[in-house]
Amino acid sequence: MARRRRRLVVGSQRFVWSVGHAHDGADSPDGGRRRTGCRETVRLWREDAPGHLAVVFEAGADAFPHSGAVRRPDAQCLNLNEPGIVRALLDEALAHGWQAAAPGRAQLDGWALFDAVVGRHAGRGDDVGTDPRPV
């Protein structure tokens, strides 16, 4: 299934983003395949730049990804389909040194950004927006 690509407008810059859920597979003793780990991934890139970013939320003992959202045992949750949450992820990625203009692919651990994203999103009242034109 194709991932839906959406635009995020930040000032004069336009970013494209998508959210995906994936599972790892492993061979099982009966010769079939079984699902092992799962993860949510937010992919971001600026329209006019070569850099791509993947913010990955891996499942773990204290981490629960679920198709479009991630939740911790303390019940804090991020809806990765919300433009405001994606904007906060983008801001944190930039604060951690991601450069959209640099070629190549970068990956960040989404759980390491979780608390800062919650804080950024809670206090936001700025220019978060989407561009309605199809990507």
Side-chain angles (χ1 to χ4, degrees), residues 9-89:
V9 180
V10 180
S12 64
Q13 298 181 73
R14 293 162 38 131
F15 290 84
V16 178
W17 61 282
S18 66
V19 178
H21 185 86
H23 292 267
D24 295 326
D27 293 328
S28 63
D30 64 3
R33 298 281 290 168
R34 62 182 168 84
R35 290 182 176 176
T36 55
C38 78
R39 69 192 151 282
E40 283 295 307
T41 304
V42 176
R43 297 186 187 286
L44 284 154
W45 61 96
R46 201 173 73 202
E47 284 189 333
D48 62 345
H52 282 73
L53 173 66
V55 180
V56 180
F57 294 87
E58 293 280 349
D62 294 337
F64 307 98
H66 172 68
S67 196
V70 292
R71 180 179 59 85
R72 295 190 311 199
D74 65 4
Q76 280 195 307
C77 178
L78 296 176
N79 179 348
L80 303 177
N81 290 300
E82 257 186 59
I85 295 294
V86 175
R87 168 65 191 273
L89 281 170

